[in-house]
Amino acid sequence: MGKNEGAVLDALLDRYGRTFCGEAGIRLSDRPKPLYQLLVLATLLSARISADVAVAAAKELFAAGYGTPKGMRDASWQDRVDALGRGHYRRYDERTSTMLGEGAELLIERWKGDLRKLRDEAGGDEGRIASLLMEFPGIGPTGADIFLREVQAVWPQVAPHLDKRVLDGAGKLGLPRQPGRLAKLVGSGDDLARLSAALVRVSRSKKTVEEVKSAAAR
């Protein structure tokens, strides 16, 4: 790693290296409940809505007791709508309530409420995991990438998962755009997840790019 790359990386992680799971209060581990909560968060983040609103809505759902597949399935459609509304997730609240209920039912019926069983069905293959994730209502390629970027902290089978949005952010900061080279700049899967989240934030904001570059140059 060059001196400039190291300075940029330090500035980036210091300012923006918080996973979206962390922001939503999800203590991610390879257990059914936090993995399901990540799936919910990925569903919310997939809509054309700000990340802050999606995170706030996830917190409201979890606080209301809908942080497990059973809790989400057993909640009434209106209860889910109300929780989403408290998080200001209003443009998509009714459709999203339906999708979350149906997704919870699918997870319970097909994988006994445990996303590790989905991973095992896929043989740990990243592409196959993504395809199975896209069977959930509201999860398309974007949602699958969101899930995989975060879950690589606890699923080494999918690491490094550095998709186009992450690599675009890297390019704007002068970091390697090749997944292998970029992954070598950090060590653990947890750091990869933090790096991915940070670069996604950078990819969305020219102001953020300039802030990180300025901090790295000091």
Side-chain angles (χ1 to χ4, degrees), residues 30 35 39 103 106-108 110-136 139 144 147-148 151 155 157-158:
D30 191 24
L35 291 172
L39 180 67
L106 172 63
L107 181 55
I108 290 168
R110 184 164 174 183
W111 293 291
K112 308 301 182 187
D114 188 347
L115 284 162
R116 296 175 301 181
K117 295 183 184 297
L118 178 153
R119 177 194 64 200
D120 294 345
E121 180 180 321
D125 177 75
E126 179 183 356
R128 180 64 179 145
I129 290 170
S131 294
L132 292 175
L133 288 171
M134 286 188 280
E135 295 188 21
F136 287 97
I139 297 287
F147 184 94
L148 290 167
V151 86
W155 284 5
Q157 300 93 330
V158 305

mmCIF file of all heavy atoms in Angstrom, residues 30 35 39 103 106-108 110-136 139 144 147-148 151 155 157-158:
data_model
loop_
_atom_site.group_PDB
_atom_site.id
_atom_site.type_symbol
_atom_site.label_atom_id
_atom_site.label_comp_id
_atom_site.label_asym_id
_atom_site.label_seq_id
_atom_site.Cartn_x
_atom_site.Cartn_y
_atom_site.Cartn_z
ATOM 1 N N ASP A 30 -23.227 -14.491 12.921
ATOM 2 C CA ASP A 30 -23.732 -15.583 12.090
ATOM 3 C C ASP A 30 -24.832 -16.340 12.841
ATOM 4 O O ASP A 30 -24.704 -17.535 13.129
ATOM 5 C CB ASP A 30 -22.584 -16.515 11.691
ATOM 6 C CG ASP A 30 -22.988 -17.506 10.616
ATOM 7 O OD1 ASP A 30 -23.948 -17.214 9.872
ATOM 8 O OD2 ASP A 30 -22.342 -18.570 10.510
ATOM 9 N N LEU A 35 -29.048 -11.912 11.122
ATOM 10 C CA LEU A 35 -29.025 -12.099 9.667
ATOM 11 C C LEU A 35 -30.372 -11.705 9.057
ATOM 12 O O LEU A 35 -30.417 -11.070 7.991
ATOM 13 C CB LEU A 35 -28.687 -13.555 9.323
ATOM 14 C CG LEU A 35 -27.258 -13.999 9.628
ATOM 15 C CD1 LEU A 35 -27.118 -15.505 9.421
ATOM 16 C CD2 LEU A 35 -26.236 -13.246 8.775
ATOM 17 N N LEU A 39 -31.425 -8.653 6.375
ATOM 18 C CA LEU A 39 -32.278 -8.817 5.195
ATOM 19 C C LEU A 39 -33.359 -7.736 5.163
ATOM 20 O O LEU A 39 -33.643 -7.158 4.102
ATOM 21 C CB LEU A 39 -32.915 -10.205 5.206
ATOM 22 C CG LEU A 39 -33.831 -10.518 4.021
ATOM 23 C CD1 LEU A 39 -33.031 -10.595 2.723
ATOM 24 C CD2 LEU A 39 -34.597 -11.823 4.257
ATOM 25 N N GLY A 103 -42.007 -11.871 2.701
ATOM 26 C CA GLY A 103 -40.622 -12.333 2.810
ATOM 27 C C GLY A 103 -40.393 -13.153 4.071
ATOM 28 O O GLY A 103 -39.687 -14.172 4.047
ATOM 29 N N LEU A 106 -41.857 -16.573 3.508
ATOM 30 C CA LEU A 106 -40.988 -17.368 2.646
ATOM 31 C C LEU A 106 -39.794 -17.913 3.425
ATOM 32 O O LEU A 106 -39.444 -19.099 3.299
ATOM 33 C CB LEU A 106 -40.494 -16.504 1.481
ATOM 34 C CG LEU A 106 -39.422 -17.125 0.574
ATOM 35 C CD1 LEU A 106 -39.948 -18.369 -0.123
ATOM 36 C CD2 LEU A 106 -38.925 -16.105 -0.455
ATOM 37 N N LEU A 107 -39.181 -17.072 4.235
ATOM 38 C CA LEU A 107 -38.007 -17.501 4.992
ATOM 39 C C LEU A 107 -38.360 -18.617 5.973
ATOM 40 O O LEU A 107 -37.618 -19.590 6.131
ATOM 41 C CB LEU A 107 -37.399 -16.312 5.743
ATOM 42 C CG LEU A 107 -36.146 -16.572 6.564
ATOM 43 C CD1 LEU A 107 -35.038 -17.195 5.722
ATOM 44 C CD2 LEU A 107 -35.646 -15.273 7.204
ATOM 45 N N ILE A 108 -39.505 -18.494 6.620
ATOM 46 C CA ILE A 108 -39.938 -19.516 7.578
ATOM 47 C C ILE A 108 -40.262 -20.826 6.867
ATOM 48 O O ILE A 108 -39.839 -21.910 7.292
ATOM 49 C CB ILE A 108 -41.163 -19.003 8.368
ATOM 50 C CG1 ILE A 108 -40.733 -17.877 9.325
ATOM 51 C CG2 ILE A 108 -41.812 -20.145 9.152
ATOM 52 C CD1 ILE A 108 -41.885 -17.121 9.939
ATOM 53 N N ARG A 110 -39.423 -21.930 3.760
ATOM 54 C CA ARG A 110 -38.389 -22.581 2.937
ATOM 55 C C ARG A 110 -37.109 -22.852 3.691
ATOM 56 O O ARG A 110 -36.442 -23.880 3.449
ATOM 57 C CB ARG A 110 -38.105 -21.720 1.702
ATOM 58 C CG ARG A 110 -37.116 -22.363 0.755
ATOM 59 C CD ARG A 110 -37.148 -21.722 -0.601
ATOM 60 N NE ARG A 110 -36.098 -22.248 -1.465
ATOM 61 C CZ ARG A 110 -35.871 -21.821 -2.693
ATOM 62 N NH1 ARG A 110 -36.631 -20.875 -3.218
ATOM 63 N NH2 ARG A 110 -34.894 -22.343 -3.422
ATOM 64 N N TRP A 111 -36.731 -21.939 4.602
ATOM 65 C CA TRP A 111 -35.444 -22.082 5.284
ATOM 66 C C TRP A 111 -35.567 -22.057 6.796
ATOM 67 O O TRP A 111 -34.604 -21.753 7.499
ATOM 68 C CB TRP A 111 -34.481 -20.979 4.811
ATOM 69 C CG TRP A 111 -34.100 -21.130 3.366
ATOM 70 C CD1 TRP A 111 -33.326 -22.112 2.816
ATOM 71 C CD2 TRP A 111 -34.480 -20.282 2.277
ATOM 72 N NE1 TRP A 111 -33.202 -21.934 1.470
ATOM 73 C CE2 TRP A 111 -33.901 -20.807 1.104
ATOM 74 C CE3 TRP A 111 -35.260 -19.122 2.184
ATOM 75 C CZ2 TRP A 111 -34.083 -20.225 -0.153
ATOM 76 C CZ3 TRP A 111 -35.435 -18.533 0.940
ATOM 77 C CH2 TRP A 111 -34.853 -19.082 -0.206
ATOM 78 N N LYS A 112 -36.762 -22.356 7.296
ATOM 79 C CA LYS A 112 -37.009 -22.466 8.749
ATOM 80 C C LYS A 112 -36.592 -21.199 9.505
ATOM 81 O O LYS A 112 -36.153 -21.265 10.657
ATOM 82 C CB LYS A 112 -36.254 -23.674 9.343
ATOM 83 C CG LYS A 112 -36.502 -24.983 8.616
ATOM 84 C CD LYS A 112 -37.957 -25.375 8.584
ATOM 85 C CE LYS A 112 -38.160 -26.728 7.883
ATOM 86 N NZ LYS A 112 -39.589 -27.049 7.696
ATOM 87 N N GLY A 113 -36.701 -20.054 8.840
ATOM 88 C CA GLY A 113 -36.372 -18.784 9.481
ATOM 89 C C GLY A 113 -34.885 -18.503 9.622
ATOM 90 O O GLY A 113 -34.506 -17.558 10.313
ATOM 91 N N ASP A 114 -34.051 -19.282 8.940
ATOM 92 C CA ASP A 114 -32.596 -19.210 9.157
ATOM 93 C C ASP A 114 -31.877 -19.014 7.824
ATOM 94 O O ASP A 114 -31.813 -19.929 6.996
ATOM 95 C CB ASP A 114 -32.128 -20.503 9.832
ATOM 96 C CG ASP A 114 -30.684 -20.465 10.273
ATOM 97 O OD1 ASP A 114 -29.951 -19.545 9.856
ATOM 98 O OD2 ASP A 114 -30.277 -21.373 11.030
ATOM 99 N N LEU A 115 -31.334 -17.821 7.617
ATOM 100 C CA LEU A 115 -30.644 -17.532 6.357
ATOM 101 C C LEU A 115 -29.360 -18.333 6.181
ATOM 102 O O LEU A 115 -28.831 -18.424 5.060
ATOM 103 C CB LEU A 115 -30.349 -16.033 6.250
ATOM 104 C CG LEU A 115 -31.580 -15.173 5.897
ATOM 105 C CD1 LEU A 115 -31.332 -13.717 6.229
ATOM 106 C CD2 LEU A 115 -31.934 -15.330 4.419
ATOM 107 N N ARG A 116 -28.850 -18.925 7.241
ATOM 108 C CA ARG A 116 -27.693 -19.806 7.093
ATOM 109 C C ARG A 116 -28.058 -21.020 6.254
ATOM 110 O O ARG A 116 -27.209 -21.564 5.536
ATOM 111 C CB ARG A 116 -27.168 -20.237 8.460
ATOM 112 C CG ARG A 116 -26.641 -19.075 9.303
ATOM 113 C CD ARG A 116 -26.241 -19.520 10.692
ATOM 114 N NE ARG A 116 -27.370 -20.120 11.405
ATOM 115 C CZ ARG A 116 -27.310 -20.589 12.645
ATOM 116 N NH1 ARG A 116 -26.156 -20.542 13.310
ATOM 117 N NH2 ARG A 116 -28.371 -21.122 13.215
ATOM 118 N N LYS A 117 -29.312 -21.435 6.313
ATOM 119 C CA LYS A 117 -29.772 -22.566 5.503
ATOM 120 C C LYS A 117 -29.819 -22.171 4.026
ATOM 121 O O LYS A 117 -29.550 -22.998 3.147
ATOM 122 C CB LYS A 117 -31.137 -23.062 5.993
ATOM 123 C CG LYS A 117 -31.116 -23.638 7.409
ATOM 124 C CD LYS A 117 -32.473 -24.168 7.810
ATOM 125 C CE LYS A 117 -32.479 -24.661 9.263
ATOM 126 N NZ LYS A 117 -31.561 -25.789 9.476
ATOM 127 N N LEU A 118 -30.153 -20.925 3.752
ATOM 128 C CA LEU A 118 -30.083 -20.427 2.372
ATOM 129 C C LEU A 118 -28.639 -20.471 1.885
ATOM 130 O O LEU A 118 -28.364 -20.922 0.769
ATOM 131 C CB LEU A 118 -30.648 -19.004 2.317
ATOM 132 C CG LEU A 118 -30.628 -18.266 0.974
ATOM 133 C CD1 LEU A 118 -31.755 -17.229 0.925
ATOM 134 C CD2 LEU A 118 -29.293 -17.542 0.709
ATOM 135 N N ARG A 119 -27.730 -19.985 2.721
ATOM 136 C CA ARG A 119 -26.305 -20.002 2.361
ATOM 137 C C ARG A 119 -25.841 -21.427 2.090
ATOM 138 O O ARG A 119 -25.117 -21.685 1.108
ATOM 139 C CB ARG A 119 -25.482 -19.398 3.496
ATOM 140 C CG ARG A 119 -23.982 -19.410 3.280
ATOM 141 C CD ARG A 119 -23.256 -19.123 4.589
ATOM 142 N NE ARG A 119 -23.502 -20.164 5.568
ATOM 143 C CZ ARG A 119 -23.334 -20.026 6.882
ATOM 144 N NH1 ARG A 119 -22.922 -18.872 7.376
ATOM 145 N NH2 ARG A 119 -23.577 -21.021 7.709
ATOM 146 N N ASP A 120 -26.263 -22.365 2.929
ATOM 147 C CA ASP A 120 -25.839 -23.753 2.762
ATOM 148 C C ASP A 120 -26.447 -24.373 1.508
ATOM 149 O O ASP A 120 -25.791 -25.156 0.812
ATOM 150 C CB ASP A 120 -26.218 -24.571 4.001
ATOM 151 C CG ASP A 120 -25.450 -24.138 5.244
ATOM 152 O OD1 ASP A 120 -24.433 -23.416 5.096
ATOM 153 O OD2 ASP A 120 -25.877 -24.498 6.358
ATOM 154 N N GLU A 121 -27.707 -24.009 1.226
ATOM 155 C CA GLU A 121 -28.341 -24.503 -0.002
ATOM 156 C C GLU A 121 -27.563 -24.033 -1.228
ATOM 157 O O GLU A 121 -27.454 -24.752 -2.225
ATOM 158 C CB GLU A 121 -29.786 -24.016 -0.084
ATOM 159 C CG GLU A 121 -30.511 -24.491 -1.338
ATOM 160 C CD GLU A 121 -31.951 -23.999 -1.422
ATOM 161 O OE1 GLU A 121 -32.632 -23.967 -0.371
ATOM 162 O OE2 GLU A 121 -32.391 -23.647 -2.530
ATOM 163 N N ALA A 122 -27.009 -22.836 -1.130
ATOM 164 C CA ALA A 122 -26.229 -22.277 -2.234
ATOM 165 C C ALA A 122 -24.805 -22.811 -2.258
ATOM 166 O O ALA A 122 -24.017 -22.444 -3.142
ATOM 167 C CB ALA A 122 -26.202 -20.752 -2.123
ATOM 168 N N GLY A 123 -24.446 -23.641 -1.303
ATOM 169 C CA GLY A 123 -23.095 -24.172 -1.242
ATOM 170 C C GLY A 123 -22.056 -23.097 -0.957
ATOM 171 O O GLY A 123 -20.879 -23.266 -1.283
ATOM 172 N N GLY A 124 -22.506 -22.000 -0.346
ATOM 173 C CA GLY A 124 -21.593 -20.901 -0.047
ATOM 174 C C GLY A 124 -21.169 -20.093 -1.258
ATOM 175 O O GLY A 124 -20.341 -19.197 -1.139
ATOM 176 N N ASP A 125 -21.764 -20.387 -2.427
ATOM 177 C CA ASP A 125 -21.386 -19.681 -3.655
ATOM 178 C C ASP A 125 -22.049 -18.301 -3.677
ATOM 179 O O ASP A 125 -23.273 -18.187 -3.554
ATOM 180 C CB ASP A 125 -21.835 -20.487 -4.871
ATOM 181 C CG ASP A 125 -21.535 -19.778 -6.177
ATOM 182 O OD1 ASP A 125 -20.368 -19.760 -6.584
ATOM 183 O OD2 ASP A 125 -22.487 -19.221 -6.766
ATOM 184 N N GLU A 126 -21.234 -17.280 -3.857
ATOM 185 C CA GLU A 126 -21.721 -15.900 -3.790
ATOM 186 C C GLU A 126 -22.831 -15.624 -4.803
ATOM 187 O O GLU A 126 -23.864 -15.033 -4.468
ATOM 188 C CB GLU A 126 -20.549 -14.945 -4.010
ATOM 189 C CG GLU A 126 -20.913 -13.483 -4.000
ATOM 190 C CD GLU A 126 -19.705 -12.604 -4.309
ATOM 191 O OE1 GLU A 126 -18.584 -13.152 -4.448
ATOM 192 O OE2 GLU A 126 -19.879 -11.388 -4.408
ATOM 193 N N GLY A 127 -22.637 -16.049 -6.037
ATOM 194 C CA GLY A 127 -23.636 -15.806 -7.071
ATOM 195 C C GLY A 127 -24.939 -16.518 -6.795
ATOM 196 O O GLY A 127 -26.032 -15.970 -7.013
ATOM 197 N N ARG A 128 -24.841 -17.741 -6.308
ATOM 198 C CA ARG A 128 -26.055 -18.519 -5.995
ATOM 199 C C ARG A 128 -26.766 -17.919 -4.783
ATOM 200 O O ARG A 128 -27.996 -17.857 -4.748
ATOM 201 C CB ARG A 128 -25.676 -19.976 -5.732
ATOM 202 C CG ARG A 128 -26.838 -20.883 -5.398
ATOM 203 C CD ARG A 128 -27.819 -21.004 -6.549
ATOM 204 N NE ARG A 128 -28.907 -21.901 -6.198
ATOM 205 C CZ ARG A 128 -30.169 -21.747 -6.601
ATOM 206 N NH1 ARG A 128 -30.490 -20.718 -7.366
ATOM 207 N NH2 ARG A 128 -31.103 -22.600 -6.257
ATOM 208 N N ILE A 129 -26.005 -17.473 -3.787
ATOM 209 C CA ILE A 129 -26.618 -16.804 -2.634
ATOM 210 C C ILE A 129 -27.400 -15.583 -3.102
ATOM 211 O O ILE A 129 -28.539 -15.349 -2.694
ATOM 212 C CB ILE A 129 -25.554 -16.404 -1.596
ATOM 213 C CG1 ILE A 129 -24.979 -17.638 -0.920
ATOM 214 C CG2 ILE A 129 -26.144 -15.465 -0.542
ATOM 215 C CD1 ILE A 129 -23.759 -17.368 -0.045
ATOM 216 N N ALA A 130 -26.784 -14.798 -3.985
ATOM 217 C CA ALA A 130 -27.460 -13.598 -4.503
ATOM 218 C C ALA A 130 -28.755 -13.972 -5.219
ATOM 219 O O ALA A 130 -29.788 -13.304 -5.035
ATOM 220 C CB ALA A 130 -26.540 -12.841 -5.444
ATOM 221 N N SER A 131 -28.732 -15.031 -6.010
ATOM 222 C CA SER A 131 -29.931 -15.459 -6.733
ATOM 223 C C SER A 131 -31.046 -15.860 -5.773
ATOM 224 O O SER A 131 -32.220 -15.514 -5.985
ATOM 225 C CB SER A 131 -29.604 -16.636 -7.658
ATOM 226 O OG SER A 131 -28.718 -16.238 -8.684
ATOM 227 N N LEU A 132 -30.690 -16.577 -4.717
ATOM 228 C CA LEU A 132 -31.702 -16.980 -3.735
ATOM 229 C C LEU A 132 -32.236 -15.783 -2.965
ATOM 230 O O LEU A 132 -33.433 -15.702 -2.674
ATOM 231 C CB LEU A 132 -31.110 -18.020 -2.779
ATOM 232 C CG LEU A 132 -30.794 -19.386 -3.384
ATOM 233 C CD1 LEU A 132 -30.103 -20.288 -2.355
ATOM 234 C CD2 LEU A 132 -32.059 -20.066 -3.900
ATOM 235 N N LEU A 133 -31.368 -14.842 -2.638
ATOM 236 C CA LEU A 133 -31.827 -13.633 -1.949
ATOM 237 C C LEU A 133 -32.847 -12.878 -2.793
ATOM 238 O O LEU A 133 -33.802 -12.303 -2.253
ATOM 239 C CB LEU A 133 -30.638 -12.716 -1.641
ATOM 240 C CG LEU A 133 -29.687 -13.157 -0.538
ATOM 241 C CD1 LEU A 133 -28.446 -12.257 -0.524
ATOM 242 C CD2 LEU A 133 -30.360 -13.131 0.843
ATOM 243 N N MET A 134 -32.663 -12.905 -4.108
ATOM 244 C CA MET A 134 -33.566 -12.168 -4.986
ATOM 245 C C MET A 134 -34.930 -12.826 -5.123
ATOM 246 O O MET A 134 -35.817 -12.286 -5.786
ATOM 247 C CB MET A 134 -32.899 -11.929 -6.342
ATOM 248 C CG MET A 134 -31.824 -10.860 -6.282
ATOM 249 S SD MET A 134 -31.157 -10.368 -7.899
ATOM 250 C CE MET A 134 -30.007 -11.713 -8.206
ATOM 251 N N GLU A 135 -35.121 -13.966 -4.487
ATOM 252 C CA GLU A 135 -36.451 -14.567 -4.424
ATOM 253 C C GLU A 135 -37.318 -13.890 -3.373
ATOM 254 O O GLU A 135 -38.540 -14.056 -3.363
ATOM 255 C CB GLU A 135 -36.350 -16.071 -4.168
ATOM 256 C CG GLU A 135 -35.671 -16.818 -5.311
ATOM 257 C CD GLU A 135 -35.743 -18.330 -5.163
ATOM 258 O OE1 GLU A 135 -36.628 -18.820 -4.418
ATOM 259 O OE2 GLU A 135 -34.915 -19.018 -5.789
ATOM 260 N N PHE A 136 -36.694 -13.112 -2.484
ATOM 261 C CA PHE A 136 -37.475 -12.377 -1.493
ATOM 262 C C PHE A 136 -38.095 -11.141 -2.127
ATOM 263 O O PHE A 136 -37.416 -10.421 -2.872
ATOM 264 C CB PHE A 136 -36.588 -11.953 -0.308
ATOM 265 C CG PHE A 136 -36.197 -13.076 0.592
ATOM 266 C CD1 PHE A 136 -34.962 -13.701 0.441
ATOM 267 C CD2 PHE A 136 -37.059 -13.530 1.585
ATOM 268 C CE1 PHE A 136 -34.596 -14.749 1.259
ATOM 269 C CE2 PHE A 136 -36.699 -14.578 2.411
ATOM 270 C CZ PHE A 136 -35.472 -15.193 2.256
ATOM 271 N N ILE A 139 -36.202 -7.589 -2.898
ATOM 272 C CA ILE A 139 -34.753 -7.760 -3.037
ATOM 273 C C ILE A 139 -34.417 -8.050 -4.496
ATOM 274 O O ILE A 139 -34.768 -9.100 -5.033
ATOM 275 C CB ILE A 139 -34.219 -8.908 -2.146
ATOM 276 C CG1 ILE A 139 -34.428 -8.604 -0.673
ATOM 277 C CG2 ILE A 139 -32.741 -9.159 -2.447
ATOM 278 C CD1 ILE A 139 -33.509 -7.548 -0.095
ATOM 279 N N ALA A 144 -29.478 -7.439 -3.032
ATOM 280 C CA ALA A 144 -28.560 -8.562 -2.813
ATOM 281 C C ALA A 144 -27.146 -8.049 -2.557
ATOM 282 O O ALA A 144 -26.433 -8.557 -1.677
ATOM 283 C CB ALA A 144 -28.582 -9.500 -4.010
ATOM 284 N N PHE A 147 -26.925 -6.672 1.006
ATOM 285 C CA PHE A 147 -26.828 -7.769 1.975
ATOM 286 C C PHE A 147 -25.424 -8.360 1.971
ATOM 287 O O PHE A 147 -24.813 -8.558 3.037
ATOM 288 C CB PHE A 147 -27.867 -8.849 1.642
ATOM 289 C CG PHE A 147 -27.906 -9.974 2.640
ATOM 290 C CD1 PHE A 147 -28.796 -9.953 3.706
ATOM 291 C CD2 PHE A 147 -27.055 -11.066 2.515
ATOM 292 C CE1 PHE A 147 -28.832 -10.989 4.633
ATOM 293 C CE2 PHE A 147 -27.078 -12.101 3.429
ATOM 294 C CZ PHE A 147 -27.971 -12.065 4.503
ATOM 295 N N LEU A 148 -24.888 -8.644 0.797
ATOM 296 C CA LEU A 148 -23.587 -9.306 0.698
ATOM 297 C C LEU A 148 -22.448 -8.402 1.164
ATOM 298 O O LEU A 148 -21.490 -8.886 1.777
ATOM 299 C CB LEU A 148 -23.344 -9.779 -0.737
ATOM 300 C CG LEU A 148 -24.240 -10.945 -1.179
ATOM 301 C CD1 LEU A 148 -24.171 -11.133 -2.689
ATOM 302 C CD2 LEU A 148 -23.850 -12.234 -0.470
ATOM 303 N N VAL A 151 -22.815 -8.690 5.015
ATOM 304 C CA VAL A 151 -22.696 -10.030 5.605
ATOM 305 C C VAL A 151 -21.296 -10.610 5.441
ATOM 306 O O VAL A 151 -20.925 -11.565 6.151
ATOM 307 C CB VAL A 151 -23.755 -10.976 5.011
ATOM 308 C CG1 VAL A 151 -23.286 -11.625 3.704
ATOM 309 C CG2 VAL A 151 -24.155 -12.058 6.018
ATOM 310 N N TRP A 155 -19.671 -13.856 7.006
ATOM 311 C CA TRP A 155 -19.697 -14.973 6.054
ATOM 312 C C TRP A 155 -18.433 -14.888 5.190
ATOM 313 O O TRP A 155 -18.443 -14.262 4.122
ATOM 314 C CB TRP A 155 -20.929 -14.909 5.162
ATOM 315 C CG TRP A 155 -22.216 -15.343 5.814
ATOM 316 C CD1 TRP A 155 -22.401 -15.683 7.114
ATOM 317 C CD2 TRP A 155 -23.479 -15.483 5.166
ATOM 318 N NE1 TRP A 155 -23.711 -16.025 7.337
ATOM 319 C CE2 TRP A 155 -24.400 -15.914 6.167
ATOM 320 C CE3 TRP A 155 -23.943 -15.281 3.867
ATOM 321 C CZ2 TRP A 155 -25.748 -16.145 5.875
ATOM 322 C CZ3 TRP A 155 -25.272 -15.512 3.575
ATOM 323 C CH2 TRP A 155 -26.170 -15.950 4.559
ATOM 324 N N GLN A 157 -17.288 -16.854 3.241
ATOM 325 C CA GLN A 157 -17.501 -17.483 1.929
ATOM 326 C C GLN A 157 -17.734 -16.452 0.822
ATOM 327 O O GLN A 157 -17.438 -16.714 -0.347
ATOM 328 C CB GLN A 157 -18.724 -18.420 1.976
ATOM 329 C CG GLN A 157 -18.618 -19.540 2.982
ATOM 330 C CD GLN A 157 -19.244 -19.182 4.319
ATOM 331 O OE1 GLN A 157 -19.276 -18.032 4.723
ATOM 332 N NE2 GLN A 157 -19.740 -20.193 5.004
ATOM 333 N N VAL A 158 -18.285 -15.288 1.176
ATOM 334 C CA VAL A 158 -18.628 -14.315 0.148
ATOM 335 C C VAL A 158 -17.613 -13.172 0.047
ATOM 336 O O VAL A 158 -17.741 -12.288 -0.800
ATOM 337 C CB VAL A 158 -20.044 -13.728 0.361
ATOM 338 C CG1 VAL A 158 -21.070 -14.847 0.434
ATOM 339 C CG2 VAL A 158 -20.115 -12.861 1.609
#
